[in-house]
Amino acid sequence: MEGPMTPQKSGETIIAEGKANMIYPSANQVFYNPVQEFNRDLTCAVITEFARLRLAEKGIDVLVPGEREKQKVVVNLSDNGDDRVQTHPEKDPTLPERRTVTVGESCPEGLRVLEGLAASGLRSIRFAREVPGLHSIIANDFSSSAVEIIKRNIEFNGVDDLVTASYSDARVLMYNRMGIKDRFDVIDLDPYGSPSMFLDAAVQSVSDGGLLCVTCTDMAVLAGNNGETCYSKYGAMSVKSKFCHEMALRILLHSLDLHSNCYQRYIVPLLSISADFYIRVFVRVFTGQAKVKMSASKQAMLYNCVGCGTYHLQRMGRAVAHGNNMKFSAGTGPPVGTSCEFCQQRHQVGGPIWAEPLHDTDFVQRILSASERNPKRFKTTDRIDGMLSMVTEELEIPLYYTLDNLSSTIRCNTPSLLQFRSALLHAGYKVSLSHACQNAIKTDAPPSVIWDIMRCWEKQNPVKREKLYVTSPAYRILSTEPGIQANFDIREDANPKSRKLGLKRFQENPEAYWGPKARAKAGGGISTTLEDRRKQHQNKRKITTSDDDGSFKCFPCKKFRQGSCELGESCRYSHSLSDSEMKSQEDPQPDCEDPTS
């Protein structure tokens, strides 16, 4: 789909990403971040599969350019025992005729999409040019200059029939679309920092079963640096820990579900990932009072030992089936004592967090299957395949341990990933990696087994116990004999398929200062470059008082007396007073103005 192109103004830059060609002011470093291309590619892939699911129910198939069709195989079991395979079965005349929609075509039954914080409108334009089965897209921003850029980019890419620019507070726009017939099927929120202020409006204005896509870049808050701020924004206390990136995902999901519950709605996560400097979740929002009652049992409090890092979860509620009915009650606990049973250190309390699965494995498999049929669709396809493949291998168990933390706790060498995974498998437990951390271990083994394995490893790689303090976690953990004999022989199933294939999960830094860009100025002003901002903060502590009044000249320069002052405009003190005058200045004269007054 090639549309009319508006003339490019001097000083502007055209950036191509996916099927979109975007106009950007060259001086503006806010509107475009190349590192987020993975985020945008993944969003296009998720919305495409969501559209395929929603429209299939209405007898409509979506067609993505370059995608190989699925080969439909029908096995004919004849009486003569000849199993013949038909790859192109005849159409059943009793079935209704199905329609096909493609990219760039407005579908009356298609998805209504809102990009609440659009900036340049890149996502919306990419949706219009790459995702089939859409009815309309609103690219909204609360910056007048951003909206002007959105309008120019809509015309530049020729997507006027699908994308509409909007100047509004995203919350007001969503609150005005809470009617059942007015709701959006897809809402994408990618703010600078926290999306917390938009979540209440979002869960009310998304349709029943609709898709909500949310990004958070305030990782310092979610990862435990500011637990009180995290509570004020998301209703959960974050703690510093090695599993902070997965906990950030679970805090966000808890907040989304909590906001939804206020309106008899609940969430079902499709995909939740931690990547680079942000987290991104894709959830469906449903309405149902009976399912909302289950929400308390899906949340959990966290007890994390500050000494050895052992963690325990305590569900907020219980839901027990009694025939066709459910009985609900408060959770029982706590699961820990006043101090850690392994190192006798205190616990930190965090949460509540989402304690259910982060992903819908069937939906993730659909995305992977579509990527396999169209491997050249996205520039970041390799990373999408690697990330989602690992997601399908993850255990549906909250949080994880890291090998480096386990080893540093008892001051020993670190076992290899395959050795530790093999030991858990030999002990009869499940184990997996995590997409959120490179050396993470997710397992259903209790903490006692984890430390028993580490004690066995320490026997093979002994530490100098005479150098350990008797009150240290290492001394207390190693003072107990292991209850099992760990087997570190490498097992074939200890190495997951994604690791064997060397699938790409992490990317190298593509450029200097590749993290989150600076926040846009109020009113849509153009932000300065990082180098310019640094120059603005130089010499801030130098005296800027004008010497026109000569008040400082009443006082001698002490550095000049010592012979170390470099005479210059920056010095406001006297270099010409005699020794007697300098001595007399030890007691300020009444007719000389005190500069501090």
Side-chain angles (χ1 to χ4, degrees):
M1 178 177 62
E2 296 293 339
M5 298 257 181
T6 56
Q8 180 184 355
K9 298 179 181 179
S10 61
E12 293 181 336
T13 302
I14 294 180
I15 297 177
E17 183 181 295
K19 301 295 184 182
N21 294 284
M22 307 295 292
I23 301 173
Y24 289 96
S26 296
N28 194 335
Q29 303 299 317
V30 174
F31 286 133
Y32 181 71
N33 189 350
V35 181
Q36 291 275 34
E37 184 174 2
F38 169 72
N39 187 332
R40 292 183 283 266
D41 286 352
L42 182 61
T43 303
C44 289
V46 170
I47 295 179
T48 298
E49 293 312 304
F50 180 68
R52 205 188 301 269
L53 279 174
R54 291 290 287 259
L55 295 182
E57 302 169 356
K58 302 176 183 179
I60 302 174
D61 296 323
V62 300
L63 177 63
V64 179
E67 184 176 79
R68 299 191 302 270
E69 292 186 7
K70 290 183 180 178
Q71 188 178 30
K72 298 180 180 179
V73 179
V74 177
V75 179
N76 182 19
L77 301 178
S78 58
D79 294 337
N80 58 10
D82 182 16
D83 296 350
R84 295 174 296 172
V85 177
Q86 298 177 351
T87 57
H88 299 284
E90 296 182 359
K91 293 183 178 180
D92 188 346
T94 61
L95 295 177
E97 187 69 22
R98 299 184 68 86
R99 292 193 295 117
T100 301
V101 294
T102 187
V103 173
E105 173 187 347
S106 179
C107 176
E109 303 91 345
L111 305 180
R112 293 166 293 181
V113 182
L114 168 67
E115 185 186 4
L117 308 142
S120 64
L122 173 57
R123 285 176 189 265
S124 295
I125 291 172
R126 286 198 60 184
F127 295 161
R129 296 180 68 99
E130 300 178 36
V131 179
L134 303 183
H135 175 273
S136 60
I137 306 168
I138 295 179
N140 176 76
D141 204 281
F142 203 26
S143 163
S144 56
S145 61
V147 173
E148 290 302 316
I149 293 176
I150 293 172
K151 290 179 179 178
R152 290 191 61 201
N153 282 319
I154 291 174
E155 184 180 356
F156 190 71
N157 287 271
V159 291
D160 311 64
D161 54 336
L162 277 175
V163 186
T164 304
S166 168
Y167 172 70
S168 176
D169 186 324
R171 294 166 293 185
V172 175
L173 176 60
M174 289 186 285
Y175 280 132
N176 288 332
R177 298 289 293 269
M178 292 192 304
I180 294 179
K181 296 182 179 180
D182 299 327
R183 293 174 179 170
F184 298 101
D185 299 296
V186 179
I187 296 179
D188 190 306
L189 298 175
D190 189 0
Y192 183 94
S194 173
S196 58
M197 66 181 68
F198 305 104
L199 299 184
D200 183 76
V203 298
Q204 294 185 74
S205 57
V206 66
S207 62
D208 193 25
L211 179 66
L212 188 56
C213 319
V214 183
T215 300
C216 295
T217 59
D218 56 335
M219 291 303 294
V221 171
L222 288 164
N225 284 354
N226 305 97
E228 69 287 350
T229 304
C230 183
Y231 182 82
S232 66
K233 291 183 176 181
Y234 300 98
M237 179 66 72
S238 60
V239 297
K240 279 190 176 182
S241 59
K242 293 295 181 179
F243 47 74
C244 59
H245 291 95
E246 182 177 325
M247 186 173 182
L249 287 170
R250 295 185 178 279
I251 287 175
L252 177 57
L253 291 175
H254 159 75
S255 183
L256 285 169
D257 196 52
L258 187 62
H259 281 286
S260 301
N261 293 163
C262 296
Y263 309 103
Q264 299 301 310
R265 313 193 85 182
Y266 62 96
I267 67 166
V268 176
L270 295 182
L271 177 63
S272 310
I273 64 165
S274 171
D276 301 327
F277 53 84
Y278 62 89
I279 59 174
R280 177 76 163 168
V281 300
F282 303 88
V283 303
R284 296 185 71 177
V285 181
F286 293 92
T287 304
Q289 185 178 10
K291 291 291 184 69
V292 169
K293 293 181 179 180
M294 299 286 294
S295 291
S297 61
K298 298 176 182 179
Q299 321 299 325
M301 298 298 295
L302 169 73
Y303 294 86
N304 183 54
C305 174
V306 299
C308 62
T310 303
Y311 62 86
H312 301 267
L313 293 179
Q314 171 61 59
R315 297 277 180 155
M316 298 286 291
R318 297 178 62 206
V320 181
H322 283 270
N324 295 330
N325 300 319
M326 297 293 297
K327 183 179 180 181
F328 303 97
S329 61
T332 57
V336 295
T338 55
S339 59
C340 176
E341 61 177 304
F342 305 105
C343 68
Q344 284 76 57
Q345 299 288 326
R346 59 187 174 85
H347 289 99
Q348 281 185 323
V349 181
I353 62 173
W354 178 263
E356 294 295 297
L358 297 175
H359 325 284
D360 183 331
T361 306
D362 291 338
F363 184 81
V364 176
Q365 289 286 5
R366 292 176 65 94
I367 302 174
L368 284 171
S369 178
S371 178
E372 183 180 353
R373 299 194 304 271
N374 195 359
K376 297 182 178 180
R377 183 182 181 191
F378 302 117
K379 183 179 177 181
T380 62
T381 293
D382 289 345
R383 192 180 181 200
I384 291 175
D385 291 346
M387 182 75 78
L388 299 190
S389 295
M390 180 156 290
V391 160
T392 61
E393 296 171 349
E394 283 186 6
L395 291 177
E396 296 179 351
I397 295 172
L399 308 180
Y400 52 77
Y401 295 93
T402 60
L403 285 179
D404 57 343
N405 186 59
L406 292 173
S407 302
S408 64
T409 299
I410 60 174
R411 304 291 190 266
C412 72
N413 296 333
T414 304
S416 72
L417 186 66
L418 295 184
Q419 286 176 316
F420 196 84
R421 285 172 57 91
S422 296
L424 285 167
L425 291 171
H426 282 303
Y429 296 98
K430 297 178 182 179
V431 62
S432 77
L433 301 178
S434 170
H435 79 277
C437 182
Q438 193 168 10
N439 61 343
I441 295 291
K442 294 178 74 72
T443 179
D444 59 348
S448 58
V449 173
I450 298 290
W451 290 118
D452 277 346
I453 292 175
M454 291 306 298
R455 292 184 184 108
C456 292
W457 175 257
E458 188 273 337
K459 289 182 179 297
Q460 299 181 18
N461 303 268
V463 300
K464 296 181 179 180
R465 303 202 181 190
E466 62 273 11
K467 292 188 176 182
L468 300 178
Y469 290 106
V470 295
T471 58
S472 67
Y475 184 89
R476 287 170 171 168
I477 291 174
L478 296 177
S479 298
T480 304
E481 287 296 313
I484 63 172
Q485 291 300 317
N487 184 355
F488 295 99
D489 294 339
I490 304 299
R491 290 176 45 143
E492 180 64 25
D493 55 350
N495 199 12
K497 184 178 179 181
S498 62
R499 191 170 183 269
K500 288 180 181 178
L501 297 176
L503 298 181
K504 184 177 182 180
R505 279 193 298 155
F506 307 99
Q507 66 179 4
E508 296 180 359
N509 297 356
E511 60 181 9
Y513 314 117
W514 63 278
K517 302 300 182 183
R519 184 186 293 272
K521 290 184 178 180
I526 304 301
S527 71
T528 56
T529 63
L530 182 61
E531 290 77 10
D532 292 339
R533 293 199 305 275
R534 282 178 173 172
K535 291 178 181 179
Q536 290 176 2
H537 292 284
Q538 297 297 320
N539 302 323
K540 286 294 185 181
R541 294 187 178 182
K542 288 189 176 181
I543 300 174
T544 58
T545 305
S546 173
D547 59 353
D548 293 338
D549 56 358
S551 58
F552 288 102
K553 295 298 182 181
C554 295
F555 295 85
C557 176
K558 295 181 180 179
K559 292 183 179 180
F560 177 72
R561 291 181 61 184
Q562 298 171 358
S564 60
C565 180
E566 296 180 359
L567 182 62
E569 295 180 355
S570 61
C571 182
R572 304 296 194 274
Y573 297 94
S574 174
H575 286 207
S576 60
L577 297 179
S578 64
D579 290 342
S580 59
E581 291 174 325
M582 288 182 179
K583 291 180 180 179
S584 65
Q585 293 301 328
E586 293 179 0
D587 297 323
Q589 299 297 323
D591 59 341
C592 182
E593 181 183 357
D594 185 354
T596 61
S597 61

